[in-house]
Amino acid sequence: MNRGRFAPSPSGDLHVGNLRTAILAWIWAHATGRSFVIRVEDIDRVRPGAAERQLADLAAIGLDWDGPVLYQSTRAQAHEDAVANLTERGMLFECYCSRRDIREAASAPHILPGHYPGTCLNLSEAERAHKRAKLAAQGRGPALRLLAPVNEWTIHDELHGSVTGPVDHVVVRRGDGTPAYNLAVVVDDAFQGVDQVVRGDDLLSQAPAQACLASLLGLPEPTFVHVPLALAPTGARLAKRDGAVTLTDLHGLGWSTGDVVDWIGQSLGVDGARKSTGRSTRTASDLAKVLTVDRLRALPATPWIVTPPAEARP
Ligand code: GLU
């Protein structure tokens, strides 16, 4: 079971950058002899109707997938089992910090930016009981963090090569009792037979911790492909507020779905195909014919700067 995947969070409509990543994941899977699955990561930030619209947009640009879509919220038992496994092996510790506590403590000069400052690592039982009671009084519980036996892990990425990064004390279960993204993604990729993870390079920094978690849970580590993100002209990550960047917005300006795929194709350097054949790349399959594995591996690491069209297409 060798599979690639796309795993959107149903927090809103997909924009052209997300669609480009999905196309790349689909092409990369097929070009390397894999099938392709979809997982809707609906354990956080769910907007009603968004998952259905995302799936419809993916189908509209020509993507298809093996078997039924997996909804991550149906996997709660498997996530709990993984947490129990790590707990029994003494690999987790309770963390009572709020986001603010962590922000404040993490600004100390000896803490790497974005890293857990270690506040709850070495507390006495009495201190734990006190902090637990304080949280309980606010109707909250502790989060569970990983006590990894190593500080760093090395992953293989098709575009970035060998990447060694910190494992840190990633959260595996949040204070509200729900599984954390980093745990769920690892457990569910393995469950779906995913051995190739193509996604935006904003998640590259999470990959070493995820691969380490997989290994600790006795699950295979996937190979990774972190592709460049789409950015707004300001240099910020592309977002819906930047203008007409979703399929629905662009349809509203008179673009066809084929026009949008063609635009994504141009961003991937397949404009030449149109010039030589006179034919535009109108669906994901058209792009797949041009984007061989060698071409994919040579993709520049630079982001796609998206200038949303301001006016209706003539
Ligand atoms: N669900 C995540 C997102 O939409 C992606 C997770 C992943 O690809 O590992 O940002």
Side-chain angles (χ1 to χ4, degrees), residues 25 50 60 80 85-86 102 107 143 158 161 184 186 304:
E80 259 319 300
N85 171 337
L86 294 168
I102 291 176
S107 59
E158 295 280 328
V186 165
W304 177 27

Side-chain angles (χ1 to χ4, degrees), residues 173-310:
R173 192 172 72 192
R174 304 187 319 185
D176 62 4
T178 57
Y181 156 69
N182 277 312
L183 178 91
V185 73
V186 165
V187 171
D188 292 343
D189 274 338
F191 174 72
Q192 289 187 282
V194 168
D195 70 337
Q196 179 188 65
V197 170
V198 180
R199 60 187 179 188
D201 62 12
D202 54 328
L203 290 169
L204 177 60
S205 64
Q206 305 288 311
Q210 292 174 2
C212 176
L213 250 180
S215 162
L216 293 175
L217 288 166
L219 304 172
E221 293 172 46
T223 176
F224 293 93
V225 188
H226 287 92
V227 300
L229 285 188
L231 303 183
T234 56
R237 194 185 296 191
L238 187 66
K240 278 192 16 177
R241 62 177 171 278
D242 292 316
V245 289
T246 68
L247 214 46
T248 308
D249 298 336
L250 289 159
H251 286 164
L253 289 180
W255 290 51
S256 69
T257 303
D259 293 333
V260 178
V261 174
D262 206 27
W263 188 25
I264 292 171
Q266 287 171 40
S267 82
L268 293 167
V270 296
D271 204 19
R274 176 162 51 165
K275 287 192 189 110
S276 60
T277 61
R279 210 170 61 86
S280 311
T281 44
R282 312 296 293 179
T283 74
S285 308
D286 293 325
L287 295 181
K289 284 182 204 130
V290 190
L291 287 170
T292 57
V293 183
D294 285 348
R295 274 192 72 169
L296 291 172
R297 290 209 176 103
L299 271 184
T302 46
W304 177 27
I305 310 291
V306 174
T307 306

Side-chain angles (χ1 to χ4, degrees), residues 7-69:
S9 299
S11 53
D13 288 353
L14 299 170
H15 59 55
V16 287
N18 305 132
L19 295 175
R20 182 169 97 142
T21 302
I23 288 176
L24 285 172
W26 183 82
I27 296 180
W28 221 299
H30 292 311
T32 53
R34 291 172 166 89
S35 60
F36 182 75
V37 294
I38 301 269
R39 179 173 67 248
V40 171
E41 300 208 317
D42 58 345
I43 56 174
D44 196 14
R45 295 181 295 140
V46 176
R47 185 161 297 176
E52 292 72 21
R53 287 201 305 279
Q54 291 184 340
L55 296 173
D57 285 356
L58 294 173
I61 59 173
L63 300 196
D64 54 6
W65 45 90
D66 253 33
V69 168

